[in-house]
Amino acid sequence: MADPKRQRDVPQWVHAFSPGAWCIALLAVLSSALLAVLPESRGDVDATMWASAKPHYDIYFPIVEQWNDEPDAFRVDVQLLSRQVMDRRMIGGFLGGVPVADLIESERSTVSLAFAGPLEAVGFLDLTDRMKADGLLDRINPPSLSPWTYEGRIFGIPHDVHPVLLGYRADLIEAAGISLEGVETWDDLFEALRPLQADQDGNGVPDRHVLSLWDSSSDIINTLLLQAGGGPFLPDGTLAIDRPLNARLIAEMTSWMVGPDRVAADVPDFSPGGNKLKAQGAALCFLMPDWMCDIWEEQIPQLSGKMRLMPLPAWEPGGRRTSVWGGSMLGISREAENQEELWAFAKRLYTSDDLSREIYREGAIITPIVELWDDPIFDEPDPYFGGQAKGRLYIDLAREVPARPATPYFTHGRTALQQAVSRLKSWAESREVYDAESLLPKAEELLADAHEEVARIMRRNAFHRPDPVPGS
Amino acid sequence: MSVRRASVGLAPWCFVAPFAVLFVLFTLIPLVQSVPLSLSHTFGPSASLPVGLEKFASALDDPRFWVALRNTFLFAAGSVFIQLPVSLALALLLNRRRLVGRGVFRLLFFSPQLVGLVFAGVLASVIFQKQRGLVNMALAAFVEPWHDLVAGGRLEAWIPSPTEMLALPWLETLALPALILTALWMYAGFNMIYFLAALQNVSRDQLESAMLDGAGPIRRFWHVTLPAIQPVAVFVVLLSIIGSFQLFELPYVMLPEGVGLQDRGLTIVTYLFKSGFEAGDLGYAAAIGWMLAIILAGFAIAQRLVSREGALR
């Protein structure tokens, strides 16, 4: 029991709170003071790098370890973040001014948002002069630089090229005695393979179609548009959703997806249901960027040896036989310290032949560094594709991938076009209009609406007006 | 003034302080800051251009804003006119004295609340999938015998085939019904608890008197039970409307691009989020936020008026 005399010696205000409350308050004050006084610790590393793709991270890790082990190395810590987390943290950093990693490997749709402000406020360091000075510009496949080049300035080193080929079910097609050798255009392909569209369950509706394409897949729609020189933007970034070429292309594409003779099927990518449909042969042909090969090999192993690759059929005879799907870059934060060291690291990481081989071996991804394309690894046969040298097939078309402008409105343009296709498909089904020619007027109308929708978003951006109001 | 009295005077402030500090830091200050934000176009902390009321005018002229608003109203209507009657029906069921296993039913109906919205959204996105989703498979199995029965006849066109049922695009073009059904599963049990609490306070004397006067179950419900639970019902309606207008997690997790095809599942908060964090236009997002706040304030005022009128009566 406490001594009453000793209790009287303690100042009265001490009893305002219980001993427990005092302990908590004391700990709070001490820990806050400690955090304020201690310098920010970054462990034994000099810089951090964010990567959001696990295969990339796995490939980088040993290479970065090797770099870090060199004497007097500028040590870099590669951190793996989930895609959404990294996107949010990066955009939060750029919009809210909170710190981000020194190096960020990011995908196109996220990077494009960094260009939504004035040029001097882009969150990435302008690498144009460094790339010129170090001769890197001449070593990189030119179209692969386009998504990271904004108003003539380059803000990232490209990670990839991502050319697109046509993957097809050789087992089903060859078993039917059909050869795709003479196929040059999409019309040729549909004509050759239409006999294989089959009603397997006997309900009168074909459940095998020629091509995997649906109105819900904005990626495939945009890949096909880019192949033909269409798409939401012109190479200089001008909005051009409503151009006649796009209308013709989406009318044609929609005609593939509707009616009793449709040739396209809904076989989603990246889902177990979609993989099952692929294995069952719900579609015979698929648009396959280089990175997709690795996903197929891992997720649909039962198709090993049954798939083949060929150049995409062109929209017109003599037209482009490839397209582009996806893309990442490595950028340096504009606020980062030690920018020269970071540049040296980034250059070494992205241009090393070790990395080039690894990203091909582990992810089937073609490097954008042209001089490395002679590496024999790209000529190795791949059993999944019946012994084809898939790397060489992709490299043969890598120079022809369409250029894509860097624009902050990239996602809006892509989505608006896809929504237009979806509306056109619904309209075609409700009116039972199935041929491209008849769909064309409605396609033009819907594209005009989509164009206006994105134009409205662009007009809201006060920084990109010809006469911005003086800033505060 | 003695120290004891001073400490007693200090105590309420200490109790309020944790809430007050968090409220000021994370609600009040951002709320105040969102006013100038909605009147400017910004990019990062250093780039800002004043644009006056342009963002508000732009929202009113933006068809996507109206699509989002329409979808949100439809979802709110679904909540009020489908979810709440279901909740009330469940509460009436569980309020019966002779019901066996009442606790088990309560747990069953309330349990979706325990898993959280994101989990429910992920689950729903699997259940509503085309081809292999549970809902479409069940519908296909249901229509199959009927379709076989009428095959070749005049009624065939009226009964969808199992293949058509398997291909129902819930998450794409039927996004709004999918959201309403998921929310029904999620919140019917939650709202049931409010109704159940209200029902247990309905005067048994009045119910028995009505019964002695010859009132049947429907008249007893209409003239005794419903007026007695009206304050709670009005409160639950308001909560449901506010919750509906804040709908974000479910579509964000469930639908392609968070909106479904052709913006069929675009809600006002999803549009706010997309404008702010995917288009980088924080000013526009703040303007949408204020317009949403004005709409919700309108509902709150209407609720107070209805409650006051009920109390006066």
Side-chain angles (χ1 to χ4, degrees):
Chain A
M1 206 171 153
D3 179 2
K5 193 180 170 190
R6 283 191 66 189
Q7 257 192 352
R8 273 199 300 275
D9 294 342
V10 178
Q12 287 269 328
W13 57 267
V14 171
H15 298 295
F17 295 110
S18 69
W22 278 116
C23 284
I24 291 168
L26 192 68
L27 282 172
V29 170
L30 279 177
S31 58
S32 303
L34 211 61
L35 283 175
V37 170
L38 285 177
E40 192 187 348
S41 169
R42 302 180 78 166
D44 57 349
V45 296
D46 301 301
T48 53
M49 172 179 162
W50 286 345
S52 63
K54 176 82 165 64
H56 294 196
Y57 174 81
D58 290 340
I59 294 163
Y60 298 156
F61 197 79
I63 296 173
V64 175
E65 285 290 286
Q66 206 180 346
W67 163 277
N68 286 342
D69 287 342
E70 287 175 10
D72 301 324
F74 177 77
R75 294 174 64 82
V76 177
D77 177 28
V78 187
Q79 297 174 353
L80 177 69
L81 278 68
S82 87
R83 165 88 192 276
Q84 279 187 328
V85 169
M86 200 187 81
D87 286 359
R88 296 285 161 261
R89 287 184 70 176
M90 194 185 90
I91 296 308
F94 291 166
L95 296 181
V98 291
V100 293
D102 304 287
L103 291 148
I104 302 174
E105 185 184 81
S106 188
E107 205 264 332
R108 190 180 174 220
S109 54
T110 313
V111 170
S112 65
L113 196 52
F115 306 131
L119 189 62
E120 60 275 15
V122 173
F124 292 108
L125 188 66
D126 180 353
L127 301 176
T128 320
D129 297 334
R130 287 180 173 87
M131 288 177 95
K132 273 184 192 159
D134 291 0
L136 203 54
L137 276 188
D138 306 323
R139 298 169 62 198
I140 294 175
N141 186 39
S144 306
L145 283 165
S146 63
W148 330 115
T149 307
Y150 183 63
E151 296 198 1
R153 312 303 297 174
I154 304 168
F155 290 92
I157 311 177
H159 170 269
D160 40 55
V161 181
H162 291 337
V164 181
L165 295 177
L166 189 78
Y168 63 92
R169 287 290 299 269
D171 57 332
L172 302 174
I173 293 171
E174 283 165 9
I178 296 170
S179 165
L180 297 182
E181 289 238 332
V183 167
E184 191 191 353
T185 63
W186 287 108
D187 287 341
D188 295 343
L189 182 83
F190 299 141
E191 199 181 314
L193 295 183
R194 205 184 288 272
L196 289 186
Q197 296 216 141
D199 171 19
Q200 296 177 78
D201 57 10
N203 67 352
V205 182
D207 33 29
R208 169 168 297 150
H209 293 86
V210 178
L211 182 66
S212 168
L213 164 71
W214 211 239
D215 61 332
S216 50
S217 174
S218 61
D219 287 320
I220 298 180
I221 290 167
N222 274 278
T223 303
L224 286 169
L225 289 170
L226 284 169
Q227 185 202 1
F233 299 96
L234 297 177
D236 66 355
T238 308
L239 181 68
I241 292 179
D242 61 351
R243 55 183 151 156
L245 174 64
N246 283 338
R248 194 170 57 76
L249 294 171
I250 73 161
E252 188 73 35
M253 242 187 273
T254 305
S255 74
W256 300 349
M257 290 184 267
V258 294
D261 297 325
R262 70 178 164 93
V263 287
D266 183 13
V267 185
D269 290 311
F270 323 118
S271 77
N275 288 344
K276 183 156 188 179
L277 289 171
K278 285 172 183 170
Q280 286 170 344
L284 296 164
C285 302
F286 305 84
L287 269 69
M288 292 186 72
D290 52 358
W291 51 267
M292 189 81 88
C293 295
D294 181 58
I295 292 176
W296 275 61
E297 291 183 21
E298 192 181 307
Q299 296 185 357
I300 323 173
Q302 62 270 44
L303 291 185
S304 181
K306 297 176 180 174
M307 294 294 296
R308 298 287 184 282
L309 294 167
M310 64 175 269
L312 285 186
W315 282 86
E316 307 282 350
R320 186 188 274 130
R321 302 294 301 268
T322 189
S323 187
V324 62
W325 181 348
S328 304
M329 67 154 219
L330 183 59
I332 298 172
S333 165
R334 194 163 54 96
E335 304 297 330
E337 296 169 0
N338 306 311
Q339 291 177 349
E340 290 313 316
E341 287 84 352
L342 291 167
W343 168 243
F345 171 81
K347 202 171 51 171
R348 162 98 168 259
L349 182 68
Y350 261 38
T351 61
S352 87
D353 47 0
D354 284 350
L355 184 87
S356 158
R357 276 189 217 105
E358 278 304 303
I359 61 171
Y360 177 69
R361 193 175 287 128
E362 298 297 325
I365 295 167
I366 304 298
T367 175
I369 309 295
V370 177
E371 77 219 21
L372 302 178
W373 289 351
D374 293 332
D375 196 312
I377 193 171
F378 297 119
D379 296 307
E380 287 177 5
D382 186 334
Y384 194 87
F385 295 98
Q388 284 180 306
K390 67 169 191 284
R392 191 55 57 198
L393 287 171
Y394 280 105
I395 284 173
D396 286 346
L397 291 165
R399 287 181 198 276
E400 293 172 37
V401 298
R404 296 165 291 171
T407 161
Y409 313 107
F410 157 70
T411 310
H412 299 101
R414 187 180 65 170
T415 308
L417 256 171
Q418 181 240 327
Q419 302 269 19
V421 172
S422 181
R423 289 190 171 101
L424 186 60
K425 180 171 169 282
S426 299
W427 185 86
E429 283 165 342
S430 65
R431 307 287 165 96
E432 299 186 356
V433 176
Y434 303 134
D435 67 293
E437 207 56 44
S438 309
L439 289 170
L440 193 58
K442 187 65 184 175
E444 285 166 351
E445 183 191 324
L446 289 168
L447 286 183
D449 292 346
H451 184 97
E452 178 51 26
E453 183 188 317
V454 180
R456 193 178 293 111
I457 295 167
M458 293 171 76
R459 282 197 296 271
R460 279 207 299 266
N461 191 333
F463 295 119
H464 292 176
R465 288 173 192 160
D467 53 344
V469 189
S472 60
Chain B
M1 194 164 66
S2 73
V3 171
R4 173 66 61 186
R5 190 178 293 173
S7 67
V8 167
L10 197 63
W13 293 105
C14 292
F15 286 124
V16 171
F19 164 77
V21 169
L22 293 176
F23 176 77
V24 169
L25 273 181
F26 296 111
T27 304
L28 195 61
I29 292 175
L31 196 68
V32 172
Q33 280 186 335
S34 72
V35 177
L37 191 63
S38 68
L39 303 174
S40 54
H41 190 85
T42 62
F43 186 81
S46 57
S48 173
L49 290 171
V51 294
L53 292 171
E54 194 184 292
K55 300 285 180 193
F56 290 89
S58 185
L60 294 175
D61 189 37
D62 181 354
R64 281 195 93 192
F65 173 78
W66 292 106
V67 167
L69 204 59
R70 184 199 64 194
N71 289 347
T72 310
F73 266 104
L74 285 174
F75 179 83
S79 294
V80 173
F81 295 114
I82 301 173
Q83 201 185 98
L84 296 188
V86 169
S87 300
L88 183 56
L90 289 177
L92 287 167
L93 190 74
L94 294 189
N95 199 40
R96 294 172 64 169
R97 283 183 176 177
R98 289 179 197 161
L99 185 72
V100 181
R102 187 191 312 207
V104 176
F105 283 120
R106 270 186 209 172
L107 179 69
L108 279 179
F109 295 142
F110 188 76
S111 59
Q113 274 296 313
L114 304 177
V115 298
L117 263 181
V118 172
F119 184 86
V122 172
L123 209 59
S125 70
V126 176
I127 290 171
F128 282 113
Q129 258 186 15
K130 277 186 280 190
Q131 308 298 339
R132 307 204 57 76
L134 199 61
V135 172
N136 283 4
M137 286 170 79
L139 287 172
F142 177 73
V143 298
E144 195 168 10
W146 299 100
H147 190 260
D148 292 347
L149 199 68
V150 297
R154 275 187 304 172
L155 286 175
E156 191 179 10
W158 294 90
I159 307 282
S161 69
T163 312
E164 285 171 310
M165 280 303 180
L166 282 174
L168 274 180
W170 287 102
L171 301 176
E172 288 88 11
T173 42
L174 295 171
L176 212 50
L179 287 174
I180 290 172
L181 286 173
T182 309
L184 176 69
W185 173 65
M186 194 72 193
Y187 290 109
F190 182 73
N191 289 324
M192 175 198 76
I193 298 293
Y194 283 106
F195 285 123
L196 202 55
L199 285 172
Q200 283 167 1
N201 287 328
V202 175
S203 162
R204 298 241 162 246
D205 296 344
Q206 283 184 8
L207 283 170
E208 279 166 19
S209 304
M211 202 155 62
L212 289 174
D213 289 344
I218 294 173
R219 294 190 74 181
R220 285 204 303 277
F221 172 76
W222 195 253
H223 293 289
V224 181
T225 308
L226 207 54
I229 65 168
Q230 194 211 14
V232 172
V234 172
F235 176 70
V236 173
V237 167
L238 182 71
L239 272 191
S240 292
I241 290 172
I242 291 175
S244 302
F245 272 80
Q246 291 174 341
L247 179 70
F248 171 70
E249 296 95 329
L250 278 185
Y252 188 70
V253 174
M254 276 173 68
L255 307 179
E257 309 277 337
V259 299
L261 274 187
Q262 303 170 25
D263 286 342
R264 299 285 176 93
L266 179 70
T267 68
I268 197 77
V269 178
T270 309
Y271 192 43
L272 183 158
F273 175 81
K274 283 189 164 284
S275 301
F277 298 100
E278 290 183 4
D281 192 346
L282 292 177
Y284 192 58
I288 293 174
W290 275 106
M291 290 164 95
L292 176 63
I294 291 166
I295 293 169
L296 291 180
F299 279 116
I301 291 167
Q303 184 257 348
R304 284 190 70 87
L305 290 176
V306 170
S307 301
R308 192 181 298 169
E309 199 177 301
L312 287 174
R313 229 188 282 144

